[in-house]
Amino acid sequence: MFFLRGPEEGLQDVITLSAPYLDRRSVSLPAVKAAYQTYLAVQQPKVPAKTVEHTEFVRDASWRTELSRWFRNPDAPDATGVPEDSSAVERAMDRVEEGFRILCGSEPELAPLFDLVVNQVFVMTLPQEPGSGSSFDGVGLVYVNPLPDWSTQDVIECLVHEFAHTLLYLDALRHTHHPDYRLLDMPENEAETAITGRRRSIFFAFQSFLIAAEILTARHRHPEICPGVGIHGSTPEILATAKRTYDRCMAHPNLDALATPRLKALLSDARTRMREIEQSM
């Protein structure tokens, strides 16, 4: 992940996964971007896709609808015919793009990797819940649904959150994070997540712990843009919940069947990082 391991591993993951579709006679970031999108189209053929040269901050209403429909819970209320405030959507996207610019201004190496791995960023159409999302089944797509009273820090943290998920998905595709993915959804393999404290599949507990480390590292490195309590809560709260998550995951009786050495190494690095942040407070 970017803040935990730097940009090199994410770039290596993309190049390795995209290699079958890459012309090695002309390797450049645009060529890798094109090969990566071909790789994703083959891996996830049912996911809405549009070839882009750079991350697209989606403004087109019909394209937003198509992307939103893919993420939508089938049981969500039908909002067909419900009028949407187009000016509010524009303002929301303006704030998302502004947050991205501010983040990249503080962390210049982030911009090219984000541009490579994230193909579309969009605000969902109605009905929507405030927050952000991405999916292991739809790598390259990110939505951010900001509330009007969100701070710039809230937007930045959501972008960091989903960027980290995207890099984790790619790392798992390259290295494998779970020996048997079927075991992850069994009731006995639930655990408390590191930010909300909810009991969910241990898959989400592992992911949330690593995401917590990314967010806390971003706050620690850039207090000028993430100065205090953000959408994910206060730093002491995240540290406390994340520690419980880590301890319980590491003590899980099925741990070796649920996490590969690669995932365990990432979790260990994240725990070390959190200790360093806690000691610096």
Side-chain angles (χ1 to χ4, degrees):
M1 300 178 313
F2 180 82
F3 285 101
L4 190 62
R5 291 279 185 97
E8 293 81 10
E9 286 194 359
L11 179 59
Q12 290 168 2
D13 288 342
V14 174
I15 292 174
T16 301
L17 294 169
S18 307
Y21 311 100
L22 184 63
D23 184 352
R24 295 177 181 273
R25 294 170 298 178
S26 177
V27 178
S28 62
L29 273 179
V32 173
K33 177 75 171 178
Y36 168 66
Q37 290 176 90
T38 302
Y39 164 78
L40 292 180
V42 172
Q43 290 294 311
Q44 45 191 43
K46 296 182 179 180
V47 177
K50 181 191 293 185
T51 301
V52 292
E53 293 183 4
H54 304 284
T55 301
E56 177 188 20
F57 288 84
V58 179
R59 302 275 181 166
D60 179 77
S62 60
W63 186 216
R64 285 179 54 237
T65 299
E66 185 174 353
L67 293 169
S68 300
R69 188 180 295 121
W70 191 84
F71 276 95
R72 188 88 66 209
N73 185 328
D75 299 325
D78 185 4
T80 303
V82 176
E84 189 173 63
D85 184 344
S86 58
S87 62
V89 173
E90 286 296 309
R91 289 194 298 273
M93 279 305 304
D94 287 343
R95 297 181 65 209
V96 173
E97 288 202 68
E98 178 189 28
F100 181 67
R101 286 193 297 270
I102 292 171
L103 174 60
C104 293
S106 294
E107 196 70 57
E109 289 188 324
L110 182 146
L113 186 58
F114 191 104
D115 188 56
L116 177 63
V117 303
V118 178
N119 295 322
Q120 275 83 28
V121 178
F122 65 101
V123 175
M124 289 183 75
T125 54
L126 298 175
Q128 62 174 232
E129 294 289 334
S132 63
S134 55
S135 171
F136 187 65
D137 298 317
V139 179
L141 304 180
V142 166
Y143 70 80
V144 181
N145 301 332
L147 287 173
D149 62 350
W150 274 21
S151 66
T152 300
Q153 176 176 345
D154 293 334
V155 173
I156 288 172
E157 288 192 6
C158 281
L159 290 168
V160 169
H161 186 137
E162 304 310 334
F163 181 43
H165 270 308
T166 302
L167 293 177
L168 278 171
Y169 300 150
L170 293 169
D171 195 84
L173 287 167
R174 179 187 176 193
H175 296 287
T176 304
H177 286 180
H178 309 285
D180 188 343
Y181 282 75
R182 296 171 298 179
L183 300 177
L184 297 174
D185 292 327
M186 293 183 174
E188 62 268 27
N189 294 328
E190 290 185 347
E192 182 182 279
T193 56
I195 296 175
T196 65
R198 293 168 53 199
R199 284 192 64 80
R200 300 184 69 187
S201 160
I202 201 167
F203 170 84
F204 296 105
F206 290 140
Q207 288 265 322
S208 69
F209 182 76
L210 293 167
I211 299 303
E214 287 286 278
I215 290 167
L216 292 178
T217 304
R219 288 184 183 183
H220 182 68
R221 283 169 61 163
H222 302 293
E224 75 283 1
I225 61 172
C226 294
V229 178
I231 191 172
H232 294 89
S234 73
T235 294
E237 289 170 343
I238 298 172
L239 284 167
T241 307
K243 182 181 184 302
R244 290 197 300 272
T245 294
Y246 181 81
D247 289 345
R248 290 172 183 176
C249 285
M250 291 302 103
H252 198 290
N254 297 334
L255 180 63
D256 289 340
L258 296 168
T260 62
R262 170 67 177 181
L263 178 56
K264 290 178 185 177
L266 290 172
L267 294 166
S268 177
D269 286 356
R271 184 68 187 108
T272 299
R273 176 63 54 79
M274 288 193 194
R275 287 195 185 100
E276 293 169 353
I277 291 171
E278 190 170 25
Q279 290 168 1
S280 71
M281 292 172 62

